[in-house]
Amino acid sequence: MASSNRDQGSSTEIIDEALRLVDTLQRRLLTAGVRRQVNNLTSPPPRANDVWAEAIRQETEPEAPVADQLLDIARETLPQVGRHLSAAGALVFGAMSRSLSAVERSLRYRPGGDSAEPDPDTGR
């Protein structure tokens, strides 16, 4: 019977130790959780659009080679430049054509009777 009392005493000690361990862990976890919540409440959350963080991030990014930058600029802007130049060329050509037509008409028909040919546009 003495050995059965000893087994019960050691198992009781193991259970007591396990309970103390669980109690200690619960207190530590509770304390850490409270600290984390207090820190979350007292410190502002990180902003997604923080200007300073963006500036630092931009400084740390490696800069692309100049040739690559120029090619990117050309890819983005050349189609627009081409459309503008085409439209401007069409306007210049139209203005020159109208101007030459006006000069030609003025040379064909002078008020004074130098030219007897009728103007094909007006029939006079």
Side-chain angles (χ1 to χ4, degrees), residues 55-87:
I56 291 172
R57 186 184 62 78
Q58 286 178 355
E59 288 178 6
T60 58
E61 289 179 359
E63 191 170 316
V66 176
D68 289 344
Q69 290 178 5
L70 290 175
L71 288 174
D72 287 341
I73 292 169
R75 277 188 212 110
E76 292 173 4
T77 58
L78 282 180
Q80 292 176 0
V81 170
R83 284 192 296 272
H84 288 296
L85 287 176
S86 175

Side-chain angles (χ1 to χ4, degrees), residues 23-46:
D23 187 44
T24 304
L25 285 173
Q26 283 179 341
R27 275 188 269 136
R28 287 185 182 177
L29 287 172
L30 182 64
T31 305
V34 169
R35 279 189 200 141
R36 187 172 296 147
Q37 288 178 354
V38 169
N39 286 339
N40 287 342
L41 292 175
T42 58
S43 64

